[in-house]
Amino acid sequence: QVQLVESGGGLVKPGGSLRLSCAASGFTFSDYYMSWIRQAPGKGLEWVSYISSGGSTINYADSVKGRFTISRDNSKNTLYLQMNSLTDDDTAVYYCARGRGTSCLDYWGQGTLVSVSS
Amino acid sequence: DIVMTQSPDSLAVSLGERATINCKSSQSVLYKSNNKKYLAWYQQKAGQPPKLLIYWASTRESGVPDRFSGSGSGTDFTLTISSLQAEDVAVYYCQQYYSTAVTFGQGTKVEIK
C-alpha cells in the first residue's frame, strides 16, 4: 500500500533553516509528481511546491519562492523540502502528497509540524 | 493566481439529509482542448490528512461512497453528499489544478444538526 512518511519538522527560530523529508513506499516513486502542501494551525490548505517525476519541472508558491527548494532522490524514494529564511508565517503542518501528473493529489502523508518562533 | 471561494463556510445537516457545498473559481478551470474541468474535492477529518474524493470535477475516486458527487461548469462547482452520514463530519476543500500555481478553497466545515 502507498505510504508517505514525513520527517524533519521541529521548532526553529525566525531566520533559521530546516530540511523536511518524505519517505515513499508502496509505489514506483520515480513515476510520480510529488508535492508539498502546508496547513497553518486552524487554517486551510496552502500548496507550497511540486516537482516532476524526474525532477526537471519544479514550481513554487509565491510565498516561498526564493526561500524554499524542493528536490527528490529517486534512488532513495525520498522527497525533500529545504526551507531557509523561515518566518512566523511558515509555521504549519507540512504534508507531502503524490500527484497524478500536475493534477489531483491522491495520497497524503500524516504531516510534520514546523514551528517558527523566537 | 486563481482564487477559489467556497460557500458556505460551515453547514449543519441532519443525518440522512443532503449537504451541498459550492466552490467558485475566479477564472475558468475548463481546459477547452480536452473539455476537462481541472478541479478536485478533498475531505479532511479532524487530526487527519486530506483525502481525495473527486477529480476532474465529477470523477469519484476509487473507494469513495457513491453518496458523494461532484458537478459544475467552468467556474462554478458543487460537491453534494446525498445522504449525510455521521462519518462525513469533516472539512471539505476544493482545489484547482488548471494553473501551475495550485490553489485551494478556504474549506467548508460540515457538521451534524
Side-chain angles (χ1 to χ4, degrees):
Chain A
Q1 70 283 19
V2 173
Q3 276 202 311
L4 299 169
V5 180
E6 301 92 339
S7 61
L11 177 62
V12 61
K13 288 182 168 48
S17 298
L18 215 51
R19 188 198 200 199
L20 305 183
S21 299
C22 170
S25 60
F27 65 102
T28 305
F29 181 71
S30 59
D31 284 349
Y32 287 87
Y33 275 64
M34 296 295 296
S35 290
W36 288 100
I37 301 95
R38 68 185 180 183
Q39 187 169 36
K43 302 296 184 184
L45 301 170
E46 180 188 15
W47 169 76
V48 172
S49 180
Y50 71 68
I51 184 169
S52 61
S53 54
S56 60
T57 300
I58 286 174
N59 263 304
Y60 298 99
D62 286 345
S63 57
V64 307
K65 204 171 290 183
R67 300 188 300 122
F68 289 12
T69 302
I70 192 171
S71 62
R72 64 191 296 161
D73 186 336
N74 285 345
S75 68
K76 295 182 178 179
N77 292 342
T78 303
L79 175 73
Y80 302 100
L81 186 68
Q82 176 67 44
M83 304 186 295
N84 299 331
S85 304
L86 287 161
T87 73
D88 292 351
D89 290 343
D90 297 316
T91 293
V93 173
Y94 284 73
Y95 296 101
C96 68
R98 190 180 82 167
R100 290 181 185 165
T102 55
S103 70
C104 60
L105 303 162
D106 59 2
Y107 287 93
W108 297 59
Q110 290 296 315
T112 186
L113 177 62
V114 173
S115 295
V116 183
S117 175
S118 53
Chain B
D1 289 1
I2 298 177
V3 177
M4 307 300 289
T5 304
Q6 291 181 227
S7 61
D9 288 334
S10 65
L11 75 161
V13 176
S14 300
L15 287 172
E17 295 301 305
R18 179 184 299 260
T20 302
I21 301 168
N22 301 301
C23 174
K24 187 175 183 68
S25 57
S26 60
Q27 65 184 76
S28 176
V29 298
L30 169 64
Y31 196 48
K32 291 181 179 176
S33 65
N34 59 13
N35 200 35
K36 286 189 170 183
K37 298 153 195 170
Y38 284 49
L39 184 111
W41 288 97
Y42 299 85
Q43 175 194 63
Q44 187 177 31
K45 296 182 179 180
Q48 295 184 21
K51 172 188 172 184
L52 176 66
L53 295 177
I54 303 279
Y55 56 99
W56 300 128
S58 60
T59 302
R60 199 179 303 115
E61 173 70 343
S62 174
V64 172
D66 61 7
R67 64 180 180 273
F68 291 92
S69 63
S71 63
S73 64
T75 58
D76 292 276
F77 300 91
T78 299
L79 174 70
T80 301
I81 310 172
S82 60
S83 175
L84 191 74
Q85 304 301 303
E87 60 265 32
D88 300 334
V89 168
V91 179
Y92 293 83
Y93 295 92
C94 60
Q95 173 221 355
Q96 66 78 21
Y97 43 91
Y98 181 91
S99 163
T100 54
V102 169
T103 48
F104 291 89
Q106 80 276 17
T108 295
K109 187 174 186 178
V110 173
E111 299 172 306
I112 304 296
K113 186 187 292 183

